Amino acid sequence: MINTLVVDDDFHVAEINARYVSRIPGFRVAGQVHDAASALAAVRESRIDLMLLDYYMPDEDGLGLTRRLRQQGTDVDVIMVTADDRAATVQQALRAGVLQYIVKPFTFDALRQKLEAYARLRTALTTRDVNQSYIDRALGTLRACAPADAMPKGFTEQTAELVRQVVARAPAPVSAHEVSQSARVSRSTAQRYLKLLEAQGQLRISLKYGDGGRPEHHYSLP
């Protein structure tokens, strides 16, 4: 199992990312922390193979933490998970030793493809004797562009993930009207995406009866 530490200052996002990781065979969530100091402590106290690391944290940014891990010779791989899509930040992350860079918001399938590629690379590098062709294939496994998730015509991955996160953060099952208000999209758009996510198995639908006796669809995570 690949022990994975989820590091994000947003408690809700950390929970969602941890839930994603737990669904991928071969990966185990070793913990969730919300600042750089806690991440360093977790690495010292237990065996961490991989860190899903946010850029923005209250005490130190993700790049600074990555550099400190490298200076200390810590044997932990880092995948940056952040809303920062600036080219300069991506370049600095790669130079600091970050293996993958994932821009928020993202879908479960997008993260799954990245983690599965990382797992294949770890497996490939367990052999002792390598040649240039072998090295090229191993690195190609990690760097190859994953195919874009197929979305039905008229839908976007960004809006689908936005709607899903609204449902995930809600303390109780929510209606299309509540989702439309939180996500700032029209009610019809919320309904379309909720139905799509429910059909894909990402959300669960239930009926709630109002005062007039008319049932209303409510959505929650499976």
Side-chain angles (χ1 to χ4, degrees):
M1 299 294 286
I2 298 174
N3 292 315
T4 306
L5 181 68
V6 177
V7 186
D8 199 297
D9 69 326
D10 188 313
F11 284 70
H12 293 294
V13 173
E15 180 64 31
I16 291 171
N17 291 348
R19 191 178 297 119
Y20 279 176
V21 172
S22 66
R23 292 169 58 187
I24 303 173
F27 288 82
R28 185 181 75 85
V29 177
Q32 301 176 44
V33 297
H34 311 288
D35 55 60
S38 299
L40 284 173
V43 169
R44 287 194 298 266
E45 295 168 3
S46 58
R47 185 176 70 84
I48 304 296
D49 302 308
L50 174 66
M51 188 180 292
L52 286 189
L53 179 61
D54 188 19
Y55 180 86
Y56 297 105
M57 289 183 291
D59 53 347
E60 183 178 17
D61 64 49
L63 285 179
L65 175 57
T66 302
R67 293 189 182 105
R68 281 216 284 163
L69 290 170
R70 297 294 169 257
Q71 290 169 358
Q72 295 174 7
T74 306
D75 189 19
V76 176
D77 292 322
V78 175
I79 293 180
M80 191 75 74
V81 179
T82 175
D84 192 335
D85 58 358
R86 294 173 297 175
T89 306
V90 177
Q91 290 178 341
Q92 292 173 23
L94 295 177
R95 290 167 183 161
V98 170
L99 289 179
Q100 293 274 20
Y101 196 102
I102 307 175
V103 178
K104 300 176 182 177
F106 53 86
T107 64
F108 166 71
D109 282 339
L111 179 63
R112 176 181 55 78
Q113 290 166 355
K114 297 292 187 183
L115 293 188
E116 288 178 347
Y118 167 75
R120 289 194 296 270
L121 177 65
R122 282 176 61 94
T123 301
L125 294 180
T126 56
T127 186
R128 291 184 178 180
D129 301 320
V130 299
N131 55 33
Q132 187 63 55
S133 176
Y134 184 92
I135 294 171
D136 291 342
R137 288 197 305 273
L139 293 179
T141 294
L142 184 64
R143 300 300 182 193
C145 294
D149 294 338
M151 293 290 291
K153 186 176 181 180
F155 292 85
T156 67
E157 294 177 17
Q158 291 79 7
T159 304
E161 184 61 20
L162 172 63
V163 168
R164 188 187 182 284
Q165 291 200 20
V166 167
V167 177
R169 295 180 182 186
V174 290
S175 65
H177 175 67
E178 292 169 324
V179 171
S180 70
Q181 289 185 319
S182 297
R184 297 183 180 181
V185 298
S186 69
R187 182 167 181 168
S188 61
T189 297
Q191 288 176 327
R192 290 173 56 241
Y193 278 88
L194 287 167
K195 289 180 180 178
L196 172 68
L197 294 171
E198 190 272 331
Q200 292 177 341
Q202 298 191 52
L203 296 180
R204 179 176 60 187
I205 190 171
S206 59
L207 292 179
K208 183 177 181 180
Y209 290 86
D211 295 336
R214 184 176 180 179
E216 184 178 36
H217 288 158
H218 278 65
Y219 298 85
S220 59
L221 292 181

